[in-house]
Amino acid sequence: MSAFSRFTPLASALPSTVPFVGPEAIERQRGLHVKARIGANENGFGPAPSVLAAMRDQAGDIWKYNDPENHALRDALADHLGIGIDSIAIGGGIDELLGQIVRLIIEPGAPVVTSLGGYPTFNFHVAGFGGRLVTVPYASDREDLNGLLEAAKRENAPLVYFANPDNPMGSWWDAESIVAFARALPETTMLILDEAYSETGPAGSLPAIDALIDRPNIVRTRTFSKAYGLAGARVGYVISTPGTARAFDKIRNHFGMNRLATVAALAALRDQAYLTEVVSNIHRARDRIARIAKANNLLPLASATNFVAIDAGRDGTYARAIVDGLMQHGVFIRMPGVAPLNRCIRVSVGPEADMALFEEALPQVLSALG
């Protein structure tokens, strides 16, 4: 069927694509059932019981629009972080916020610096607004800070993306190095410091809030999707100076936030005891994934996230065969999409049943591959 004839030239030139193929699509396409959903960097331990109770309690209010100023959540986050409410902007997950940042800054043809093999959804937004990606290869399986800085200066780039801890490798940099990198960037270059996994990293990996809060060219993006177990609710936020944070009001969908998702985020923020518990569960599951990998003569990479990248020891074709083989057993995992990172498979943390199924299926798949 033909398409409408008056899409913009940019939209007409873009491919119809989805940055990630979800397990639901794999089930539809291959006629398989996902038994262990450990491939999407979700938190399989789920949200706190107090969060679910709050959502049930206020479900009857779903007929109301959410507060377009997101005041209660911004206020709670400001109190939690020890900053002013005007330094926070709310969005439908980090993915939506990334699109808004690109829209605010990038004009067609403008250079945008990121890592080769870094977060695909960010690249998707850059392409959607006509930006030109300038990529820097990973160094020793983590993002190359010096390379990113050099590229930003060389290209006079208005925007740089850097994730810490990193997706897809799970690696991280120490806070001191990150602050030095951020402050070395030109003031005319905006840095997206993606901290989706901020709660699961080791001590010393997360810069203090006040270390960067004075920089209008730095936006730190965080989410309730990972440690808080609310990926399906889609709640993310930006930390920056008041002037930069207010810029989101110019373009965001003011009634875009889901009312019950906001209720969930507020309840999750109040239940820090559960957060401590679930982060411990994430760490234990990471350790178990590493043990399973080693028991099968694969190399787990150190991780600061809620997943573990595992070096399969060969190339992308072999890693893809492992991913496909595990799916035949109902185990959904993923892999980085760009060489040489695609020699790895990536396994997200999950509850006991998911870990057990992965542990059972992996040696069978590797034996069949030879």
Side-chain angles (χ1 to χ4, degrees):
M1 183 179 293
S2 59
F4 178 64
S5 62
R6 296 189 68 177
F7 289 131
T8 67
L10 174 59
S12 296
L14 291 172
S16 297
T17 185
V18 177
F20 293 104
V21 178
E24 298 86 356
I26 295 173
E27 288 180 322
R28 290 191 295 269
Q29 293 166 5
R30 298 178 59 179
L32 299 171
H33 174 61
V34 172
K35 302 174 185 176
R37 186 178 170 123
I38 50 174
N41 300 359
E42 297 156 330
N43 176 0
F45 301 108
S50 61
V51 171
L52 298 177
M55 295 176 75
R56 285 192 294 268
D57 183 58
Q58 298 192 45
D61 286 341
I62 198 64
W63 62 273
K64 303 175 184 177
Y65 288 115
N66 195 55
D67 172 15
E69 296 182 11
N70 298 299
H71 185 274
L73 183 53
R74 289 168 59 232
D75 187 53
L77 283 166
D79 183 65
H80 178 68
L81 297 169
I83 58 177
I85 189 173
D86 290 338
S87 287
I88 296 172
I90 305 294
I94 288 179
D95 289 353
E96 179 178 274
L97 291 165
L98 291 177
Q100 291 173 358
I101 295 166
V102 174
R103 181 182 174 188
L104 281 167
I105 294 170
I106 296 304
E107 297 178 315
V112 178
V113 173
T114 187
S115 297
L116 179 63
Y119 191 43
T121 299
F122 175 69
N123 302 348
F124 175 82
H125 287 307
V126 171
F129 287 100
R132 173 173 60 86
L133 281 173
V134 178
T135 57
V136 177
Y138 280 62
S140 301
D141 291 332
R142 67 175 179 173
E143 292 182 299
D144 182 355
L145 284 179
N146 289 333
L148 291 168
L149 180 60
E150 291 171 3
K153 291 181 175 179
R154 182 186 69 245
E155 299 285 340
N156 188 25
L159 187 61
V160 175
Y161 174 87
F162 168 65
N164 191 70
D166 176 62
N167 176 8
M169 302 309 290
S171 55
W172 70 96
W173 281 88
D174 62 276
E176 184 178 353
S177 298
I178 296 165
V179 171
F181 165 71
R183 290 187 171 272
L185 285 168
E187 293 182 357
T188 54
T189 297
M190 174 69 79
L191 169 64
I192 300 173
L193 179 55
D194 188 339
E195 297 176 325
Y197 303 94
S198 58
E199 293 89 358
T200 59
S205 63
L206 191 67
I209 290 294
D210 60 6
L212 296 172
I213 196 63
D214 64 327
R215 309 288 286 192
N217 67 321
I218 297 172
V219 288
R220 301 171 74 166
T221 57
R222 295 187 181 179
T223 184
F224 285 86
S225 294
K226 307 302 181 183
Y228 288 103
L230 289 170
R234 311 310 302 133
V235 185
Y237 58 101
V238 158
I239 306 166
S240 191
T241 61
T244 297
R246 279 196 302 271
F248 288 82
D249 285 341
K250 299 178 180 181
I251 59 166
R252 68 183 176 89
N253 178 358
H254 290 253
F255 285 108
M257 291 302 300
N258 179 290
R259 187 179 184 90
L260 281 183
T262 303
V263 167
L266 284 165
L269 203 57
R270 287 192 295 267
D271 199 338
Q272 291 296 301
Y274 180 81
L275 178 66
T276 299
E277 176 186 338
V278 83
V279 168
S280 294
N281 291 339
I282 289 170
H283 290 174
R284 283 193 292 270
R286 279 194 328 222
D287 291 343
R288 182 170 182 182
I289 293 168
R291 290 195 301 272
I292 293 169
K294 290 176 182 177
N296 287 276
N297 298 312
L298 303 179
L299 178 64
L301 305 185
S303 174
T305 62
N306 66 347
F307 62 87
V308 178
I310 300 172
D311 190 336
R314 301 189 194 178
D315 58 11
T317 300
Y318 182 66
R320 171 54 60 191
I322 296 174
V323 171
D324 291 342
L326 285 170
M327 189 61 214
Q328 291 293 329
H329 292 262
V331 179
F332 166 68
I333 68 169
R334 281 191 174 131
M335 57 184 281
V338 174
L341 308 181
N342 66 352
R343 72 187 191 283
C344 296
I345 60 175
R346 196 187 66 197
V347 182
S348 303
V349 302
E352 167 62 27
D354 289 7
M355 294 291 94
L357 187 55
F358 171 62
E359 187 169 17
E360 176 186 348
L362 181 61
Q364 298 178 49
V365 171
L366 295 176
S367 176
L369 291 175

CSV table of all heavy atoms in Angstrom, one decimal, residues 16-70:
chain,number,residue,atom,x,y,z
A,16,SER,N,11.8,2.8,8.1
A,16,SER,CA,10.8,2.4,9.1
A,16,SER,C,11.5,1.4,10.0
A,16,SER,O,11.7,0.2,9.6
A,16,SER,CB,9.6,1.8,8.5
A,16,SER,OG,8.9,2.8,7.7
A,17,THR,N,11.9,1.8,11.2
A,17,THR,CA,12.6,0.9,12.1
A,17,THR,C,12.3,1.0,13.5
A,17,THR,O,11.7,2.0,13.9
A,17,THR,CB,14.1,1.1,11.9
A,17,THR,OG1,14.9,0.2,12.6
A,17,THR,CG2,14.5,2.5,12.4
A,18,VAL,N,12.6,0.0,14.3
A,18,VAL,CA,12.4,0.0,15.7
A,18,VAL,C,13.8,-0.3,16.3
A,18,VAL,O,14.4,-1.3,15.9
A,18,VAL,CB,11.4,-1.0,16.2
A,18,VAL,CG1,11.3,-1.1,17.8
A,18,VAL,CG2,10.0,-0.8,15.6
A,19,PRO,N,14.3,0.6,17.2
A,19,PRO,CA,15.7,0.4,17.7
A,19,PRO,C,15.9,-1.0,18.4
A,19,PRO,O,17.0,-1.6,18.3
A,19,PRO,CB,15.9,1.5,18.7
A,19,PRO,CG,14.9,2.6,18.3
A,19,PRO,CD,13.7,1.8,17.7
A,20,PHE,N,14.9,-1.5,19.0
A,20,PHE,CA,15.0,-2.8,19.7
A,20,PHE,C,13.9,-3.7,19.3
A,20,PHE,O,12.7,-3.3,19.2
A,20,PHE,CB,14.9,-2.6,21.2
A,20,PHE,CG,16.1,-1.9,21.8
A,20,PHE,CD1,16.0,-0.6,22.2
A,20,PHE,CD2,17.3,-2.5,21.9
A,20,PHE,CE1,17.1,0.1,22.7
A,20,PHE,CE2,18.4,-1.9,22.5
A,20,PHE,CZ,18.3,-0.5,22.9
A,21,VAL,N,14.2,-5.0,19.0
A,21,VAL,CA,13.2,-6.0,18.7
A,21,VAL,C,12.8,-6.6,20.0
A,21,VAL,O,13.6,-7.2,20.7
A,21,VAL,CB,13.7,-7.1,17.8
A,21,VAL,CG1,12.6,-8.1,17.5
A,21,VAL,CG2,14.1,-6.4,16.4
A,22,GLY,N,11.5,-6.4,20.4
A,22,GLY,CA,11.1,-6.9,21.7
A,22,GLY,C,10.8,-8.3,21.7
A,22,GLY,O,10.6,-9.0,20.7
A,23,PRO,N,10.7,-8.9,22.9
A,23,PRO,CA,10.4,-10.4,23.0
A,23,PRO,C,9.0,-10.7,22.5
A,23,PRO,O,8.8,-11.8,21.9
A,23,PRO,CB,10.5,-10.6,24.5
A,23,PRO,CG,10.4,-9.3,25.2
A,23,PRO,CD,11.0,-8.3,24.2
A,24,GLU,N,8.1,-9.7,22.6
A,24,GLU,CA,6.8,-10.0,22.0
A,24,GLU,C,6.8,-10.2,20.5
A,24,GLU,O,6.1,-11.1,19.9
A,24,GLU,CB,5.8,-8.8,22.3
A,24,GLU,CG,5.6,-8.6,23.8
A,24,GLU,CD,6.7,-7.7,24.5
A,24,GLU,OE1,7.6,-7.3,23.8
A,24,GLU,OE2,6.5,-7.4,25.7
A,25,ALA,N,7.7,-9.4,19.8
A,25,ALA,CA,7.8,-9.5,18.4
A,25,ALA,C,8.5,-10.9,18.0
A,25,ALA,O,8.1,-11.5,17.0
A,25,ALA,CB,8.6,-8.4,17.8
A,26,ILE,N,9.4,-11.3,18.8
A,26,ILE,CA,10.1,-12.6,18.6
A,26,ILE,C,9.1,-13.7,18.7
A,26,ILE,O,9.1,-14.7,17.9
A,26,ILE,CB,11.3,-12.7,19.5
A,26,ILE,CG1,12.4,-11.7,19.2
A,26,ILE,CG2,11.9,-14.1,19.4
A,26,ILE,CD1,13.5,-11.7,20.2
A,27,GLU,N,8.2,-13.6,19.7
A,27,GLU,CA,7.2,-14.6,19.9
A,27,GLU,C,6.3,-14.7,18.7
A,27,GLU,O,5.9,-15.8,18.2
A,27,GLU,CB,6.4,-14.3,21.2
A,27,GLU,CG,7.2,-14.6,22.5
A,27,GLU,CD,6.3,-14.3,23.7
A,27,GLU,OE1,5.6,-13.3,23.7
A,27,GLU,OE2,6.4,-15.0,24.7
A,28,ARG,N,5.9,-13.5,18.2
A,28,ARG,CA,5.0,-13.5,17.1
A,28,ARG,C,5.6,-14.0,15.8
A,28,ARG,O,5.1,-14.8,15.1
A,28,ARG,CB,4.5,-12.1,16.8
A,28,ARG,CG,3.5,-11.5,17.9
A,28,ARG,CD,2.9,-10.2,17.4
A,28,ARG,NE,3.9,-9.2,17.2
A,28,ARG,CZ,4.2,-8.3,18.2
A,28,ARG,NH1,3.7,-8.4,19.4
A,28,ARG,NH2,5.1,-7.3,18.0
A,29,GLN,N,6.9,-13.6,15.6
A,29,GLN,CA,7.6,-14.0,14.4
A,29,GLN,C,8.0,-15.4,14.3
A,29,GLN,O,8.0,-16.1,13.3
A,29,GLN,CB,8.8,-13.1,14.2
A,29,GLN,CG,8.5,-11.6,14.0
A,29,GLN,CD,9.7,-10.7,14.2
A,29,GLN,OE1,10.8,-11.1,14.4
A,29,GLN,NE2,9.4,-9.4,14.1
A,30,ARG,N,8.4,-16.0,15.5
A,30,ARG,CA,9.0,-17.3,15.5
A,30,ARG,C,8.1,-18.4,16.1
A,30,ARG,O,8.4,-19.5,16.2
A,30,ARG,CB,10.4,-17.3,16.2
A,30,ARG,CG,11.4,-16.4,15.5
A,30,ARG,CD,12.7,-16.3,16.2
A,30,ARG,NE,13.3,-17.5,16.4
A,30,ARG,CZ,14.5,-17.7,17.0
A,30,ARG,NH1,15.2,-16.7,17.5
A,30,ARG,NH2,15.0,-18.9,17.1
A,31,GLY,N,7.0,-17.9,16.6
A,31,GLY,CA,6.1,-18.9,17.2
A,31,GLY,C,6.6,-19.5,18.5
A,31,GLY,O,6.3,-20.7,18.8
A,32,LEU,N,7.4,-18.8,19.2
A,32,LEU,CA,8.0,-19.3,20.4
A,32,LEU,C,7.5,-18.5,21.7
A,32,LEU,O,7.0,-17.4,21.5
A,32,LEU,CB,9.6,-19.1,20.4
A,32,LEU,CG,10.3,-19.8,19.3
A,32,LEU,CD1,11.7,-19.4,19.2
A,32,LEU,CD2,10.2,-21.4,19.5
A,33,HIS,N,7.6,-19.2,22.8
A,33,HIS,CA,7.1,-18.6,24.1
A,33,HIS,C,8.3,-18.2,24.9
A,33,HIS,O,9.2,-19.0,25.2
A,33,HIS,CB,6.2,-19.5,24.8
A,33,HIS,CG,5.8,-19.0,26.1
A,33,HIS,ND1,5.0,-17.9,26.3
A,33,HIS,CD2,6.0,-19.5,27.4
A,33,HIS,CE1,4.8,-17.7,27.6
A,33,HIS,NE2,5.4,-18.7,28.3
A,34,VAL,N,8.3,-16.9,25.4
A,34,VAL,CA,9.4,-16.5,26.3
A,34,VAL,C,9.1,-17.0,27.7
A,34,VAL,O,8.1,-16.6,28.3
A,34,VAL,CB,9.5,-15.0,26.3
A,34,VAL,CG1,10.5,-14.5,27.4
A,34,VAL,CG2,10.0,-14.5,24.9
A,35,LYS,N,10.0,-17.8,28.2
A,35,LYS,CA,9.8,-18.3,29.6
A,35,LYS,C,10.7,-17.5,30.6
A,35,LYS,O,10.3,-17.4,31.7
A,35,LYS,CB,10.2,-19.8,29.6
A,35,LYS,CG,9.4,-20.7,28.7
A,35,LYS,CD,9.9,-22.1,28.7
A,35,LYS,CE,9.1,-23.0,27.7
A,35,LYS,NZ,9.7,-24.3,27.7
A,36,ALA,N,11.9,-17.1,30.1
A,36,ALA,CA,12.8,-16.3,30.9
A,36,ALA,C,13.1,-15.0,30.2
A,36,ALA,O,13.8,-15.0,29.2
A,36,ALA,CB,14.1,-17.1,31.2
A,37,ARG,N,12.5,-13.9,30.7
A,37,ARG,CA,12.6,-12.6,30.0
A,37,ARG,C,13.8,-11.9,30.6
A,37,ARG,O,13.7,-11.0,31.5
A,37,ARG,CB,11.3,-11.8,30.2
A,37,ARG,CG,11.3,-10.5,29.4
A,37,ARG,CD,9.9,-9.9,29.7
A,37,ARG,NE,9.9,-8.5,29.1
A,37,ARG,CZ,9.0,-8.1,28.2
A,37,ARG,NH1,8.1,-8.9,27.7
A,37,ARG,NH2,9.0,-6.8,27.9
A,38,ILE,N,15.0,-12.2,30.1
A,38,ILE,CA,16.2,-11.7,30.7
A,38,ILE,C,17.1,-11.1,29.6
A,38,ILE,O,18.3,-11.2,29.6
A,38,ILE,CB,17.0,-12.7,31.5
A,38,ILE,CG1,17.2,-14.0,30.7
A,38,ILE,CG2,16.3,-13.0,32.8
A,38,ILE,CD1,18.1,-15.1,31.4
A,39,GLY,N,16.4,-10.3,28.7
A,39,GLY,CA,17.2,-9.7,27.6
A,39,GLY,C,17.0,-8.2,27.4
A,39,GLY,O,17.6,-7.6,26.5
A,40,ALA,N,16.1,-7.6,28.2
A,40,ALA,CA,15.7,-6.2,27.9
A,40,ALA,C,16.2,-5.2,29.0
A,40,ALA,O,15.7,-4.1,29.0
A,40,ALA,CB,14.2,-6.1,27.7
A,41,ASN,N,17.1,-5.7,29.8
A,41,ASN,CA,17.6,-4.8,30.9
A,41,ASN,C,16.5,-4.3,31.8
A,41,ASN,O,16.5,-3.2,32.4
A,41,ASN,CB,18.4,-3.6,30.4
A,41,ASN,CG,19.6,-4.0,29.6
A,41,ASN,OD1,19.8,-5.2,29.4
A,41,ASN,ND2,20.3,-3.0,29.0
A,42,GLU,N,15.4,-5.1,31.9
A,42,GLU,CA,14.4,-4.8,32.9
A,42,GLU,C,14.8,-5.4,34.2
A,42,GLU,O,15.7,-6.1,34.4
A,42,GLU,CB,13.1,-5.5,32.4
A,42,GLU,CG,12.6,-5.0,31.1
A,42,GLU,CD,11.7,-5.9,30.3
A,42,GLU,OE1,11.8,-7.2,30.5
A,42,GLU,OE2,10.8,-5.5,29.6
A,43,ASN,N,14.0,-5.0,35.3
A,43,ASN,CA,14.3,-5.5,36.6
A,43,ASN,C,13.2,-6.5,36.9
A,43,ASN,O,12.1,-6.2,37.3
A,43,ASN,CB,14.2,-4.3,37.6
A,43,ASN,CG,14.3,-4.8,39.0
A,43,ASN,OD1,14.5,-5.9,39.3
A,43,ASN,ND2,14.3,-3.8,40.0
A,44,GLY,N,13.6,-7.8,36.7
A,44,GLY,CA,12.6,-8.9,36.9
A,44,GLY,C,12.1,-9.1,38.3
A,44,GLY,O,11.2,-9.8,38.5
A,45,PHE,N,12.7,-8.4,39.3
A,45,PHE,CA,12.3,-8.5,40.6
A,45,PHE,C,11.0,-7.6,40.9
A,45,PHE,O,10.3,-7.8,41.9
A,45,PHE,CB,13.4,-8.1,41.6
A,45,PHE,CG,14.6,-9.0,41.5
A,45,PHE,CD1,15.8,-8.5,40.9
A,45,PHE,CD2,14.6,-10.3,41.9
A,45,PHE,CE1,16.9,-9.3,40.7
A,45,PHE,CE2,15.7,-11.1,41.7
A,45,PHE,CZ,16.9,-10.6,41.2
A,46,GLY,N,10.8,-6.7,40.0
A,46,GLY,CA,9.6,-5.9,40.0
A,46,GLY,C,9.6,-4.8,41.0
A,46,GLY,O,10.5,-4.6,41.8
A,47,PRO,N,8.5,-4.0,41.0
A,47,PRO,CA,8.4,-2.8,42.0
A,47,PRO,C,8.1,-3.3,43.4
A,47,PRO,O,7.7,-4.4,43.6
A,47,PRO,CB,7.3,-2.0,41.4
A,47,PRO,CG,6.5,-3.0,40.7
A,47,PRO,CD,7.4,-4.0,40.1
A,48,ALA,N,8.2,-2.4,44.3
A,48,ALA,CA,7.9,-2.7,45.7
A,48,ALA,C,6.4,-3.0,45.9
A,48,ALA,O,5.6,-2.4,45.2
A,48,ALA,CB,8.3,-1.5,46.6
A,49,PRO,N,6.0,-3.9,46.8
A,49,PRO,CA,4.6,-4.1,47.1
A,49,PRO,C,3.9,-2.8,47.4
A,49,PRO,O,2.7,-2.6,47.1
A,49,PRO,CB,4.6,-5.0,48.3
A,49,PRO,CG,5.9,-5.8,48.1
A,49,PRO,CD,6.9,-4.8,47.6
A,50,SER,N,4.6,-1.8,48.1
A,50,SER,CA,4.0,-0.5,48.4
A,50,SER,C,3.6,0.3,47.2
A,50,SER,O,2.6,1.0,47.2
A,50,SER,CB,4.9,0.3,49.3
A,50,SER,OG,6.1,0.5,48.7
A,51,VAL,N,4.4,0.1,46.1
A,51,VAL,CA,4.1,0.8,44.9
A,51,VAL,C,2.9,0.2,44.2
A,51,VAL,O,2.0,0.9,43.8
A,51,VAL,CB,5.3,0.6,43.9
A,51,VAL,CG1,5.0,1.1,42.5
A,51,VAL,CG2,6.5,1.4,44.5
A,52,LEU,N,2.8,-1.1,44.2
A,52,LEU,CA,1.6,-1.7,43.6
A,52,LEU,C,0.3,-1.4,44.4
A,52,LEU,O,-0.8,-1.1,43.8
A,52,LEU,CB,1.7,-3.2,43.6
A,52,LEU,CG,2.9,-3.7,42.7
A,52,LEU,CD1,3.0,-5.3,42.8
A,52,LEU,CD2,2.7,-3.3,41.2
A,53,ALA,N,0.5,-1.3,45.7
A,53,ALA,CA,-0.7,-0.9,46.6
A,53,ALA,C,-1.1,0.5,46.3
A,53,ALA,O,-2.3,0.8,46.2
A,53,ALA,CB,-0.3,-1.1,48.0
A,54,ALA,N,-0.1,1.4,46.1
A,54,ALA,CA,-0.5,2.8,45.8
A,54,ALA,C,-1.2,2.9,44.5
A,54,ALA,O,-2.2,3.7,44.3
A,54,ALA,CB,0.8,3.7,45.8
A,55,MET,N,-0.8,2.2,43.5
A,55,MET,CA,-1.4,2.2,42.2
A,55,MET,C,-2.8,1.7,42.3
A,55,MET,O,-3.8,2.2,41.7
A,55,MET,CB,-0.6,1.4,41.2
A,55,MET,CG,0.8,2.0,40.9
A,55,MET,SD,1.8,1.0,39.8
A,55,MET,CE,1.0,1.3,38.2
A,56,ARG,N,-3.0,0.6,43.0
A,56,ARG,CA,-4.4,0.0,43.2
A,56,ARG,C,-5.3,1.0,43.9
A,56,ARG,O,-6.4,1.2,43.5
A,56,ARG,CB,-4.3,-1.3,43.9
A,56,ARG,CG,-3.8,-2.5,43.1
A,56,ARG,CD,-4.1,-3.8,43.8
A,56,ARG,NE,-3.3,-3.9,45.1
A,56,ARG,CZ,-2.1,-4.4,45.1
A,56,ARG,NH1,-1.5,-5.0,44.0
A,56,ARG,NH2,-1.4,-4.5,46.3
A,57,ASP,N,-4.7,1.7,44.9
A,57,ASP,CA,-5.5,2.6,45.7
A,57,ASP,C,-6.0,3.8,44.9
A,57,ASP,O,-7.1,4.3,45.2
A,57,ASP,CB,-4.7,3.0,46.9
A,57,ASP,CG,-5.4,3.9,47.9
A,57,ASP,OD1,-6.5,3.5,48.4
A,57,ASP,OD2,-5.0,5.1,48.1
A,58,GLN,N,-5.2,4.2,43.9
A,58,GLN,CA,-5.5,5.4,43.2
A,58,GLN,C,-6.0,5.2,41.8
A,58,GLN,O,-6.1,6.1,41.0
A,58,GLN,CB,-4.3,6.4,43.2
A,58,GLN,CG,-4.0,6.9,44.7
A,58,GLN,CD,-3.0,8.0,44.7
A,58,GLN,OE1,-3.2,9.0,44.0
A,58,GLN,NE2,-2.0,7.9,45.5
A,59,ALA,N,-6.2,3.9,41.4
A,59,ALA,CA,-6.6,3.6,40.1
A,59,ALA,C,-7.9,4.2,39.7
A,59,ALA,O,-8.1,4.6,38.5
A,59,ALA,CB,-6.7,2.1,39.9
A,60,GLY,N,-8.8,4.5,40.7
A,60,GLY,CA,-10.1,5.1,40.4
A,60,GLY,C,-10.0,6.5,39.9
A,60,GLY,O,-10.9,7.1,39.3
A,61,ASP,N,-8.8,7.1,40.1
A,61,ASP,CA,-8.6,8.5,39.7
A,61,ASP,C,-8.0,8.6,38.3
A,61,ASP,O,-7.7,9.7,37.8
A,61,ASP,CB,-7.6,9.2,40.6
A,61,ASP,CG,-8.3,9.6,42.0
A,61,ASP,OD1,-9.5,9.6,42.0
A,61,ASP,OD2,-7.6,9.8,42.9
A,62,ILE,N,-8.0,7.5,37.6
A,62,ILE,CA,-7.4,7.5,36.2
A,62,ILE,C,-8.2,8.4,35.3
A,62,ILE,O,-7.6,8.7,34.2
A,62,ILE,CB,-7.2,6.1,35.7
A,62,ILE,CG1,-6.1,6.1,34.6
A,62,ILE,CG2,-8.5,5.5,35.3
A,62,ILE,CD1,-4.7,6.5,35.0
A,63,TRP,N,-9.4,8.7,35.6
A,63,TRP,CA,-10.1,9.6,34.7
A,63,TRP,C,-9.6,11.0,34.7
A,63,TRP,O,-9.9,11.8,33.7
A,63,TRP,CB,-11.6,9.6,35.1
A,63,TRP,CG,-11.9,10.2,36.5
A,63,TRP,CD1,-11.8,9.5,37.7
A,63,TRP,CD2,-12.1,11.5,36.8
A,63,TRP,NE1,-12.1,10.3,38.7
A,63,TRP,CE2,-12.3,11.6,38.3
A,63,TRP,CE3,-12.3,12.7,36.1
A,63,TRP,CZ2,-12.6,12.8,38.9
A,63,TRP,CZ3,-12.6,13.9,36.8
A,63,TRP,CH2,-12.7,13.9,38.2
A,64,LYS,N,-8.7,11.4,35.6
A,64,LYS,CA,-8.2,12.7,35.7
A,64,LYS,C,-6.9,12.8,34.9
A,64,LYS,O,-6.1,11.8,34.9
A,64,LYS,CB,-7.8,13.1,37.1
A,64,LYS,CG,-9.0,13.1,38.1
A,64,LYS,CD,-8.5,13.4,39.5
A,64,LYS,CE,-9.6,13.2,40.5
A,64,LYS,NZ,-9.1,13.5,41.9
A,65,TYR,N,-6.6,13.9,34.2
A,65,TYR,CA,-5.3,14.1,33.7
A,65,TYR,C,-4.2,14.2,34.8
A,65,TYR,O,-4.6,14.6,35.9
A,65,TYR,CB,-5.2,15.4,32.9
A,65,TYR,CG,-6.0,15.4,31.6
A,65,TYR,CD1,-7.1,16.2,31.4
A,65,TYR,CD2,-5.5,14.6,30.5
A,65,TYR,CE1,-7.8,16.2,30.2
A,65,TYR,CE2,-6.2,14.5,29.3
A,65,TYR,CZ,-7.3,15.3,29.1
A,65,TYR,OH,-8.0,15.3,28.0
A,66,ASN,N,-3.0,13.9,34.5
A,66,ASN,CA,-1.9,14.1,35.4
A,66,ASN,C,-1.6,15.6,35.5
A,66,ASN,O,-1.9,16.4,34.6
A,66,ASN,CB,-0.7,13.4,34.9
A,66,ASN,CG,0.4,13.3,36.0
A,66,ASN,OD1,0.1,12.8,37.1
A,66,ASN,ND2,1.6,13.7,35.7
A,67,ASP,N,-1.1,16.1,36.6
A,67,ASP,CA,-0.7,17.5,36.8
A,67,ASP,C,0.3,17.8,35.7
A,67,ASP,O,1.4,17.2,35.6
A,67,ASP,CB,0.0,17.6,38.2
A,67,ASP,CG,0.6,19.0,38.4
A,67,ASP,OD1,0.3,19.9,37.6
A,67,ASP,OD2,1.4,19.1,39.3
A,68,PRO,N,0.0,18.8,34.8
A,68,PRO,CA,0.9,19.1,33.7
A,68,PRO,C,2.2,19.6,34.1
A,68,PRO,O,3.2,19.6,33.4
A,68,PRO,CB,0.1,20.1,32.9
A,68,PRO,CG,-0.9,20.7,33.8
A,68,PRO,CD,-1.3,19.6,34.8
A,69,GLU,N,2.3,20.1,35.4
A,69,GLU,CA,3.6,20.6,35.9
A,69,GLU,C,4.4,19.5,36.6
A,69,GLU,O,5.6,19.8,37.0
A,69,GLU,CB,3.4,21.8,36.8
A,69,GLU,CG,2.8,23.0,36.1
A,69,GLU,CD,2.6,24.2,37.0
A,69,GLU,OE1,3.1,24.2,38.2
A,69,GLU,OE2,1.9,25.2,36.6
A,70,ASN,N,3.8,18.4,36.8
A,70,ASN,CA,4.5,17.3,37.5
A,70,ASN,C,5.1,17.7,38.8
A,70,ASN,O,6.2,17.3,39.2
A,70,ASN,CB,5.6,16.7,36.6
A,70,ASN,CG,5.1,16.1,35.3
A,70,ASN,OD1,4.3,15.2,35.3
A,70,ASN,ND2,5.5,16.7,34.2
